[in-house]
Amino acid sequence: MTDFSTPAQFGDLQLKNRVVLAPLTRTRATEDRVPTDLMVEYYRQRANAGLILTEATVIAENAVGYEKTPGLYNDAQVQAWKKIIQAVHEQDSKIVVQLWHVGRISHPDLLSGETPVSASAIQPAGQVSLLRPKRDFVTPRALETAEVQAIVEEYRQSALLAKEAGFDGVEIHAANGYLIDQFLQTSTNQRQDQYGGSVENRARFLLEIVDAAIDVWGAGRVGVHLAPRGDSHDMGDAAPRETFGYVAEQLGQRKIAFIFTREYQAEDSISQLIKEKSGVPYIANENLNRESALALLVSGQADAVAFGRPYIANPDLYTRLVENAAWNELNVATMYAAGAEGYTDYPSLNG
């Protein structure tokens, strides 16, 4: 019977168990987006997971939408990530970096006065996360065709730096209303060029990025992060089963290492369709508890289970899952704070 402790093979990644640390923005990098020694300890504590997906990591200076999120576009960042990777590898866990461009989910104040970019010039509802005083999102600038292709190259360069740093692979962040998702879904993509209109065109940007990552890493070390429910950052798609079904088929043809979906379980969930159409290992995530996660593994509906907020509050969550031990409660107020409080000071079962 497959359970939390069963080893897994995801492409070229041999995992010691089926528990995954979900990507979690924690804003503990420097102003220059260099990972810190505090981050080394944070990831070391959680390397009981078979697979660690890093917090979303920006591919370029103009890809940002939050302060103090880490990057992977210069040598200082590469050198700092090496210490984190070593700490994870010392516990026989795998660590994959999640590569990120936020697109329209930013603000000129974070971009040296420049206007955020997107698939189309459609303003998202809502306000910019964590910036104070609060301010609304602005209307983004639609990327020119040549600019889209240049961003694909930025992903390639970041993937190359990930290899230099020693990561075990890359995950392409195509979820949660960020730039790739803005190309995928119809509510944010009204383009007339080869990146707009049909599902084949709307998925082109994602697939070109995936192909660039495969060129660097091989398919067996590339994953993709999707949010088929479209429930973040004012997203929406006219036919999500068609859109994400096509994406799944294309990723399956490429035989990537895994697909991760952030989608709570309900009658209208698309994740099982994605798993079936892709045929690649599938990581389930969102609002899972011990019982629901175990049921997904035992039934074969998921090949691994990922936890976000529970892993913030429980650095030894894998052990707690296996032993059916109680979980610490999350302090929401310190999720994006500075320093160790609410970051590396949550207690483990052994103190």
Side-chain angles (χ1 to χ4, degrees), residues 226-244:
L226 299 171
R229 198 170 288 282
D231 55 359
S232 289
H233 292 132
D234 198 23
M235 296 301 296
D237 191 80
R241 293 181 69 85
E242 176 188 356
T243 295
F244 289 95

Side-chain angles (χ1 to χ4, degrees), residues 106-108 123-128 131 133-139:
S106 189
H107 191 275
Q123 181 181 7
Q127 296 180 316
V128 184
L131 275 186
K134 292 184 177 181
R135 60 212 82 177
D136 292 341
F137 290 116
V138 301
T139 301

Side-chain angles (χ1 to χ4, degrees), residues 245-301:
Y246 173 78
V247 168
E249 289 174 348
Q250 290 296 309
L251 296 176
Q253 288 177 18
R254 287 161 171 81
K255 295 180 171 58
I256 65 169
F258 63 87
I259 293 174
F260 179 119
T261 67
R262 185 190 61 75
E263 184 188 48
Y264 63 82
Q265 298 175 67
E267 289 186 3
D268 61 346
S269 296
I270 300 173
S271 291
Q272 285 305 305
L273 173 73
I274 291 172
K275 175 175 169 57
E276 292 164 9
K277 283 187 172 289
S278 70
V280 304
Y282 159 60
I283 301 172
N285 172 248
E286 195 171 34
N287 296 341
L288 295 176
N289 57 31
R290 183 182 188 276
E291 292 70 29
S292 61
L294 185 59
L296 287 171
L297 292 175
V298 170
S299 67
Q301 291 178 275

Side-chain angles (χ1 to χ4, degrees), residues 19 21 33 97 112 124 159 169 214 217 220 236 252 296 302 317 324 327 344-345:
V19 177
L21 172 63
R33 305 188 183 277
V97 62
S112 302
I214 289 172
W217 280 97
L296 287 171
L317 183 64
N324 197 14
W327 294 4
T344 56
D345 62 349

Side-chain angles (χ1 to χ4, degrees), residues 24 115 146 279:
L24 294 160
T115 301

Side-chain angles (χ1 to χ4, degrees), residues 128-240:
V128 184
S129 295
L130 307 182
L131 275 186
R132 297 295 180 269
K134 292 184 177 181
R135 60 212 82 177
D136 292 341
F137 290 116
V138 301
T139 301
R141 176 178 66 81
L143 287 160
E144 300 291 338
T145 302
E147 292 180 297
V148 178
Q149 294 159 357
I151 291 174
V152 173
E153 185 58 28
E154 287 181 332
Y155 273 95
R156 181 192 303 275
Q157 293 305 314
S158 195
L160 284 165
L161 291 180
K163 200 166 198 177
E164 182 181 340
F167 282 105
D168 296 298
V170 296
E171 186 196 49
I172 306 303
H173 194 347
N176 300 353
Y178 297 120
L179 184 61
I180 297 173
D181 211 12
Q182 292 158 32
F183 275 79
L184 273 180
Q185 299 200 45
T186 56
S187 67
T188 46
N189 187 337
Q190 297 178 357
R191 300 179 70 88
Q192 303 298 315
D193 64 359
Q194 66 261 40
Y195 294 100
S198 67
V199 63
E200 293 83 3
N201 282 357
R202 286 182 284 112
R204 189 184 307 277
F205 182 45
L206 166 60
L207 297 175
E208 287 181 349
I209 292 166
V210 169
D211 288 342
I214 289 172
D215 285 346
V216 173
W217 280 97
R221 293 184 180 271
V222 174
V224 171
H225 199 96
L226 299 171
R229 198 170 288 282
D231 55 359
S232 289
H233 292 132
D234 198 23
M235 296 301 296
D237 191 80

